[in-house]
Amino acid sequence: PLRQALQRLAGQGLLQVYPKMGWFVAPIDFDKMDELYDLRILLETNAVGKLVDSPDLAPLDALEALWLLPVERRLTEASAVGQLDEAFHTCLVAAGGNREIARVHQEITDRIRLIRRLDFTKTNRVEATYDEHGRILRALLARRKDEAQRLLRAHIEQSKLEVRKITLDALFKAKQQRAGPPAE
């Protein structure tokens, strides 16, 4: 089981294996992350377009109950909001009705899950996610396809930028700690 887990992490680009040396954490490949986020945008906006054109918006009922809440009823715990966020996007794609798009989307979600969750380490991003999801849902429920797709695209782009910023900041701080205090 351990070897399978390591191979899975290597397959996701998170680990590198060097024969007779061992397993090592792979450096973050921002270009690959950008490409995965771009693919996510294509898949999700396509699914939302199909959803708006469908006669049944019932799949959105559960999302309304989770995301269209007054501020005082919203969750604030980062990992819980991260899981709900992932479920929001997965539900939108599934509701689009194309199983192959849903399968590919799930693969992308699995590959970027760790880095995506960084987005919820900042309180303002938790609040922004609720607000952005709410606007996307309202546009979908009103069957405003172009607006829903534009809002979804902007939401994912902002998340991509925030994750990059948080990651670079964490790497900078780790490098500073390793270097020690400045010499006097």
Side-chain angles (χ1 to χ4, degrees):
L2 178 60
R3 183 174 295 283
Q4 287 174 334
L6 291 170
Q7 289 171 340
R8 183 174 176 195
L9 290 171
Q12 293 174 354
L14 299 172
L15 289 179
Q16 294 175 331
V17 62
Y18 296 97
K20 299 185 183 190
M21 291 179 64
W23 300 84
F24 298 89
V25 175
I28 296 172
D29 183 344
F30 286 110
D31 290 337
K32 183 183 284 187
M33 287 297 133
D34 285 348
E35 290 171 356
L36 291 170
Y37 269 87
D38 291 346
L39 183 54
R40 211 182 125 204
I41 289 169
L42 290 173
L43 296 173
E44 290 188 33
T45 55
N46 177 276
V48 160
K50 292 190 181 306
L51 173 60
V52 169
D53 291 339
S54 76
D56 183 19
L57 296 180
L60 299 180
D61 293 345
L63 295 179
E64 281 184 84
L66 293 171
W67 293 101
L68 297 179
L69 299 171
V71 174
E72 62 275 3
R73 291 193 44 221
R74 294 176 176 180
L75 297 177
T76 57
E77 202 275 310
S79 67
V81 176
Q83 290 173 354
L84 285 178
D85 174 69
E86 187 175 307
F88 173 86
H89 292 276
T90 299
C91 182
L92 289 181
V93 172
N98 186 313
R99 291 180 307 221
E100 281 304 304
I101 288 176
R103 181 189 60 76
V104 171
H105 182 265
Q106 188 59 53
E107 288 175 16
I108 292 167
T109 298
D110 291 343
R111 290 180 66 188
I112 63 174
R113 178 173 291 122
L114 290 175
I115 201 155
R116 251 182 92 187
R117 296 278 168 92
L118 291 174
D119 200 14
F120 303 104
T121 60
K122 304 289 184 192
T123 305
N124 67 323
R125 290 301 301 150
V126 170
E127 294 168 12
T129 297
Y130 269 99
D131 294 341
E132 293 165 10
H133 284 192
R135 285 192 292 276
I136 293 164
L137 280 171
R138 285 183 190 93
L140 288 169
L141 292 167
R143 295 190 182 273
R144 294 189 305 258
K145 181 182 355 185
D146 292 341
E147 180 183 351
Q149 289 175 319
R150 179 183 53 76
L151 290 168
L152 182 60
R153 183 178 297 106
H155 169 66
I156 296 170
E157 285 286 350
Q158 186 61 41
S159 178
K160 177 172 73 170
L161 291 172
E162 291 294 329
V163 165
R164 180 182 285 253
K165 186 169 72 175
I166 292 166
T167 304
L168 289 172
D169 184 56
L171 290 172
F172 177 74
K173 287 177 181 173
K175 188 175 181 179
Q176 280 187 321
Q177 287 177 346
R178 222 175 32 185
E184 292 184 28

